[in-house]
Amino acid sequence: MGYFARTGASLLLILLAGLCVLGTAHAEASPQTLRVGVYQNPPLLFTNDHGEPSGLFADVLKDIAASEGWSLDFVSGSWEAVYHGAVNAEIDILPATAILESREKKLDFSETPLIINWARVYTPKGKPMASFPEFEGKRIGLLKQDTHAQAFKELMKKFNLSYVPVEYDNYLDLFKDLSAEQLDAGVVNRMFGERLQHEFPVQKSPTIFNPIPVGFAVAKQDPKNLLPVLNARIAKLLTDKSSRYYTSMNRWFDRTQPSRSKLQHILIAVLLLAMLLLAATLALQTVVKRKTRELQLANETLKREIQERKHAEKVAKTQETRYRLLAKSSADLIWTMDENRRYTYFNPAAESMLGYTPEELLNLPQEKRFPPSSLEKIRQADAIRFAHWQKKPDEIPAMTMELQQIRKDGTVIWTEVVSTPILDDDGAPCGVLGVTREITSRKKIERELLESERRFREMIVKSPHPMCILDSRAETILLCNDAFTNAFGYTTKDVAAGGDWWSAFCPEPAQRETIKTAWRNAVSPGWNSQKGHPPRVWMIRRKDGQFRKVETHLTPLGKEWLISMFDLTSHLELQAELVQAKEEAETANKAKTEFLANMSHEIRTPLNGALGMLQLMATTELNAEQCEYIDAAITSCQRLTRLMGDILDLSRVEAGKLDLFEEPFDLSDTLHSILQLFQPMAEEKGLAIKSVIDPRVPWILAGDAGRLQQVLNNLLGNALKFTEKGCVSMEATLLPNASDGEVFILFTIADTGAGVPDDRLNDIFSPFTQVDGSFTRSYQGAGLGLAICKRIVELMGGAMSVESEYGRGTTFYVSIPFKVGDAPTAPTPEAEPPPIQSGFHVLLAEDDPVNQKTVGKMLEKLGCRVVPAEDGRHALELLKKDRFDLVFMDIQMPVLDGVQATMAIRSKAAGSHNAYIPIVALTAYAMPGDRNRFLEAGMDAYLAKPVDFDDLRDVLAKFFHKTGTPIETNCNPAT
């Protein structure tokens, strides 16, 4: 051992000894019972004939356990079992584990390995192998999951050598088969081989590789804190030459065999030398006599050989002259190399092929002539040739290789090199003769052919449609792609092995004959290629017995045919699945619509009673405090009503049932009415509000003014709500590139309010989403307004965007296309019918007592005489007995609902004089389509609950041109 190695080892032992002190602190925390994994790896670790754990690592661990007071529970199993047990923390300590980078990701290891192990190759007795090239084509025994086995595989792959791997569960079985010569070689760790090589008729080869440290392993993160104790104990064992570690090493690796003294060796050697000298003297006398006779005979023979050799040299000289002339005139590069791999000759073709003169090539390093890939091939060839020279020099084969070579001008050419050994007079190899031919053009053609074939095969193999290639003469399938295998279960081996693939595909005889006849007619020589082959539909049986309906297409490929297929069964199944999915989606959407309708109805019904009663209470004698309470309650009810309206609007948009109207309107009037609506709110907050209209904007536009007003109301309301100081502006600008009869108007609503953080800009258009979703937010709302606005704008064919700076304000941009409208003509005033002087006689069909009382009192306040009806049948009976001016009809009622009652009235079931009486739907049904459904049932108007005095007054004005008695209140409830 060198100085640095000894010094390093000493420092390591001192460090480990120091760590012992640290490890002592952990000893008390160590567990009392530990599960230890044991697998067969003698002499490092194994289970002996008595079932007891044995080996170097078992001895060391038992010694540590005795010192620490541990109880060891040994768990025997295969390497894979105990390894995975350690990874999963089911085994606490795994001894004799190779320390590899890949394993350090899953396990933690003791700091100091007990040994350094490496791999060695063993062969049967009397059948040595000296190098890796000799393993080519041989049966090699390997241990499953063994690191040495993996290293051997990688080396053979690197040398591009093939072999037959035979895997074993343990080294002992491998040695048994190696002894029986069922293997040509076996890869084991050196510890096992050194111990057991004398018990089997095997011998070790000089091939060793893959040194690996071996130590103790625990689960990742060391859950039981064992490594500090193990590290300290191992350091102590290594520093004590009398420790269990060294006695175990001597026991298992035979390190204490008795040896003779140096003097005994010298005496034995002298005795043997004397005996040899005596024997040599006697033998020499005999040899001298025999050699004297042989020399006399040899002298006569030598004279004859000299004459023969002179003649042979003359013949050889003539032949050499011919060979040199042949080499000089050859277009191929001819060269020779001696036994030390030094070039000795190049013919003149070198200059035309490589650009170098023969003299330049003799001294040119191979690294400048060959790229790395070709150099590797040359080294492998030299290794194989050298192996033959060592074993069977008389059987050295000629070798052919395709190599790339670098010309003097830097270009790379392809060459084919044939090398043959040169033998001396004794038949021993003394060099190599080579012939190099340029094949660049041939390689280019080969590459193009291979690339063409690769693209063709890749196109077939990777095609998503099942395809196969069939020999039309032999009717055998030559190739089928992955899609074919996935679709039908048959591989190329399945359909080619038996030959009778017709029976596999078509088990029913009649159908099989029909398909075979159609196929043979299609591929017959008399077929006219101009007509083409129409696709055919066949029933093909899968390998698992299922039948598939398949559409086939035939394409000729010379003497072969390409059959491409389309699985109609999957297509039909997909269609069925899509239909089912559509039906399920429609069912879910219907259920959602029904749920929203029911919830809307159930909320609006009591809300109508609450809001109505509050409005009625406002007409009574109240003090200021009571008015304040009523004002707040009415505001809350109206806010809840708007929320339900937003939810229903969102439902209409998502269901695609939001109707848009196209009517002429004055944009300036629309914007003016919006500003008037929000002016009080702006004045109350002390904000400036302004509106600017581009003078280029046409006066009259055609579109849905109501939906435009809904969008701008929402955006302007939000701007005022989120702005505490500064101003709010609304501008309308004409965008360029307008087409004939259509213009794009850009509406810009800007504020100087709170703004929106950058990370929330993408969320503000999502339903039920607000910028501030915390419990301490300053602004209330459900987060539906902007989502509805964006969807309405998109339905109108426009677009909506936003830009904002947090804390400084927000600007919304809305661009909507409108048609240019015609200026409306002044309407001809119509004669207004005389107003009705007396109060209106109204029938109120309402089953809910609270709503019946609420709406009845509100109508009475408007000057009506109200008669209530509990259901639709009661309403019919009252209509028959009395005369009414108007009917307010609830929809959901017992006995006879509002729709049924309306249809009965229109069919004169309540008398012919009531067949055309005005009927107003007063209902909590406010889902998309409800209004039209009730109007189509025969009703004349529609009011959604909750209603207020203005709703009722407008209906009375519509039918009787009289608004009724003005309502006087002591409060000013919010509107």
Side-chain angles (χ1 to χ4, degrees), residues 641-802:
T641 303
R642 286 194 296 271
L643 174 60
M644 287 191 299
D646 287 344
I647 293 174
L648 294 181
D649 275 348
L650 183 63
S651 175
R652 289 187 184 98
V653 172
E654 291 180 346
K657 295 183 178 180
L658 185 68
D659 295 326
L660 295 177
F661 301 95
E662 186 176 306
E663 297 176 344
F665 69 95
D666 188 331
L667 180 61
S668 62
D669 287 346
T670 301
L671 298 184
H672 181 69
S673 64
I674 294 172
L675 289 178
Q676 282 187 324
L677 178 65
F678 289 100
Q679 190 65 42
M681 181 178 178
E683 292 175 355
E684 182 180 350
K685 297 186 73 173
L687 300 174
I689 183 171
K690 62 180 180 179
S691 173
V692 178
I693 301 178
D694 188 343
R696 298 174 300 164
V697 175
W699 173 36
I700 302 297
L701 300 175
D704 195 326
R707 293 300 176 188
L708 173 62
Q709 192 167 5
Q710 179 180 355
V711 171
L712 297 180
N713 279 345
N714 193 292
L715 295 177
L716 197 59
N718 280 350
L720 289 169
K721 179 169 69 173
F722 294 109
T723 302
E724 299 301 329
K725 60 181 179 179
C727 65
V728 174
S729 64
M730 178 171 59
E731 298 183 10
T733 308
L734 179 67
L735 294 177
N737 301 325
S739 60
D740 293 339
E742 186 178 60
V743 294
F744 270 85
I745 308 299
L746 174 65
F747 299 94
T748 306
I749 296 85
D751 64 61
T752 57
V756 181
D758 292 341
D759 60 343
R760 299 303 308 275
L761 280 175
N762 293 330
D763 301 331
I764 62 175
F765 294 114
S766 301
F768 307 103
T769 300
Q770 289 195 329
V771 172
D772 183 5
S774 66
F775 294 128
T776 58
R777 65 185 184 186
S778 304
Y779 307 101
Q780 301 298 321
L784 290 175
L786 291 178
I788 294 171
C789 288
K790 184 173 179 63
R791 285 163 172 75
I792 290 175
V793 169
E794 290 172 350
L795 284 174
M796 297 175 73
M800 185 174 180
S801 62
V802 61

Side-chain angles (χ1 to χ4, degrees), residues 875-894:
L876 292 177
E877 294 174 355
L878 292 175
L879 284 170
K880 292 177 183 178
K881 296 177 182 179
D882 201 354
R883 190 176 188 89
F884 294 91
D885 300 312
L886 183 67
V887 177
F888 284 97
M889 183 74 72
D890 188 20
I891 298 301
Q892 182 175 302
M893 294 186 294

Side-chain angles (χ1 to χ4, degrees), residues 914-942:
N914 287 320
Y916 302 103
I917 186 171
I919 301 175
V920 179
L922 183 60
T923 177
Y925 285 107
M927 288 295 290
D930 285 343
R931 179 179 183 278
N932 292 337
R933 181 157 57 94
F934 301 144
L935 295 180
E936 290 172 358
M939 299 182 182
D940 299 287
Y942 168 86

